[in-house]
Amino acid sequence: MSKATIKKLLRSMSKEEIIEMVIEMYDARKEAKDYLEYYASPDENSKLEEYKDIIRAEFYPEGRREPKTRFSVCRKAVTDFKKLKPSADALAELMLSYMEYAIEFTFDFGDMWEQYYESVEGNFAKTVEFIAKNGLWEKYDKRLQQCVKWASVCGYGFADGIDDIYEETRLRYV
């Protein structure tokens, strides 16, 4: 269904019908509930920490649980946070935190599998590009450099890939 169709439908409904539909969506879909709660009372820092915790738990779970390193869960956390329309700074913070956990994990636990490295490199490139395009390089540069250092002990070309992404983006934007 297109936005135009939705607009037409909403314009044809009474205020009470729209309220009832929104309440039904709130009850039926977790995403709608999260969005409406954030819309009604936006607390960017609290939401940011909530999503950082989701990502952190994939690499460094609390208690005796084993790390799952599910990139799909991490990407969904970033995507869900982005849908709330946070500031560029908050989104950069979440994206970089994701990369810090993923790269530090390889530093702490040793070499990973090829798909792991490919996923991290792809997401690192998106993160570095986003930070640069939004004028946040100076704020996040030390943390980006730390990611490069953590990657430097890893094999399979991962260290070179992370370093190349950092340097090429820095040269283009800074």
Side-chain angles (χ1 to χ4, degrees):
M1 188 178 291
S2 70
K3 285 184 183 180
T5 305
I6 293 292
K7 282 182 182 181
K8 186 177 178 181
L9 172 66
L10 290 172
R11 286 189 177 121
S12 73
M13 297 170 74
S14 70
K15 180 180 177 180
E16 290 76 25
E17 290 173 321
I18 293 172
I19 291 170
E20 185 60 34
M21 182 180 69
V22 170
I23 296 299
E24 286 177 21
M25 279 191 334
Y26 180 88
D27 288 338
R29 303 283 304 166
K30 182 187 181 317
E31 295 86 0
K33 180 180 179 181
D34 289 346
Y35 180 81
L36 290 168
E37 286 177 355
Y38 183 78
Y39 184 83
S41 179
D43 183 353
E44 187 175 73
N45 290 333
S46 174
K47 264 307 182 196
L48 173 61
E49 291 305 315
E50 179 183 323
Y51 285 106
K52 282 170 77 172
D53 287 345
I54 291 168
I55 294 169
R56 182 183 307 113
E58 287 301 309
F59 298 96
Y60 296 97
E62 295 194 13
R64 303 190 78 190
R65 289 188 19 227
E66 288 291 318
K68 294 182 180 175
T69 65
R70 294 174 297 183
F71 289 101
S72 60
V73 170
C74 299
R75 283 191 305 272
K76 183 177 182 331
V78 172
T79 300
D80 288 350
F81 186 62
K82 187 186 268 186
K83 287 177 185 175
L84 298 175
K85 297 184 171 83
S87 66
D89 187 32
L91 184 55
E93 173 66 32
L94 182 63
M95 293 170 77
L96 183 53
S97 294
Y98 171 21
M99 291 299 88
E100 287 172 323
Y101 296 132
I103 296 171
E104 185 179 16
F105 187 80
T106 66
F107 179 82
D108 290 343
F109 295 102
D111 287 333
M112 299 293 152
W113 53 99
E114 185 176 353
Q115 188 178 7
Y116 183 98
Y117 288 139
E118 289 172 358
S119 186
V120 174
E121 284 182 26
N123 285 294
F124 187 72
K126 289 176 190 171
T127 300
V128 173
E129 187 84 12
F130 182 84
I131 287 170
K133 282 184 174 180
N134 284 281
L136 298 166
W137 193 270
E138 193 172 307
K139 180 175 182 176
Y140 291 109
D141 188 36
K142 286 192 186 332
R143 291 170 61 191
L144 291 169
Q145 288 178 34
Q146 182 61 52
C147 288
V148 172
K149 286 178 187 171
W150 281 326
S152 69
V153 299
C154 299
Y156 306 108
F158 179 66
D160 293 335
I162 294 296
D163 185 55
D164 288 348
I165 291 165
Y166 172 83
E167 288 300 330
E168 288 170 12
T169 307
R170 184 182 63 80
L171 291 172
R172 260 186 312 183
Y173 290 98
V174 182

